Amino acid sequence: MTYALSGALQAAVYDLLQSDPGLTVLIGDAVFDAVPGGSLPETYVLLGQEVAKDLSDPQGAGAEHRLTLSVVTSAPGFSTAKGCAAVISDLLHGAEPALSRGRVVDMAFLKATARRIDGASARRIDLQFRARVADA
């Protein structure tokens, strides 16, 4: 098993999100690894939880990463959040972004959970993806 590709995978996902014109139209550059202090934009994407497990084989080290990306918005209703979530899902499902180390073998959408937060004044959609990576 290797967890050594985790940082490279996160950087590649972040770069994909930041450089996509469709997502930029919706949220600007509001993609965060941690919620920043101060005033938040109306809608933003947060890189979240990650769980990794071994997928090494005789050809080399590898892992499966379960990534959670969250769309958070104070816009009324779910329309804004779902629009952003759809762009992210289209962008990442099947993507094989270049990593600074190793390679993405496969990336797939797994599930999404949409809910009201902050006393129903905001919306959050957590998108989960599976990324299989190989250190080769």
Side-chain angles (χ1 to χ4, degrees):
M1 156 136 188
T2 183
Y3 192 66
L5 305 179
S6 179
L9 177 61
Q10 180 175 328
V13 168
Y14 179 84
D15 289 344
L16 275 176
L17 297 173
Q18 284 287 64
S19 65
D20 183 70
L23 189 59
T24 300
V25 164
L26 297 173
I27 65 167
D29 66 351
V31 178
F32 306 118
D33 182 27
V35 178
S39 297
L40 292 172
E42 179 181 70
T43 304
Y44 60 94
V45 174
L46 184 62
L47 303 179
Q49 180 177 332
E50 172 188 32
V51 176
K53 71 176 186 176
D54 183 33
L55 281 185
S56 298
D57 59 30
Q59 280 71 43
E64 175 185 281
H65 294 256
R66 300 267 174 134
L67 310 170
T68 301
L69 304 174
S70 301
V71 177
V72 181
T73 186
S74 58
F78 277 100
S79 180
T80 298
K82 287 183 177 185
C84 291
V87 170
I88 293 167
S89 181
D90 287 345
L91 183 62
L92 295 182
H93 183 78
E96 293 180 6
L99 304 182
S100 60
R101 176 179 172 183
R103 65 185 176 89
V104 174
V105 175
D106 179 57
M107 189 175 302
F109 169 78
L110 294 179
K111 68 178 184 175
T113 304
R115 65 184 186 273
R116 291 175 176 85
I117 60 172
D118 295 336
S121 67
R123 310 293 184 262
R124 179 179 178 134
I125 299 177
D126 293 325
L127 300 148
Q128 190 176 86
F129 295 87
R130 180 192 68 238
R132 292 186 58 214
V133 295
D135 197 13

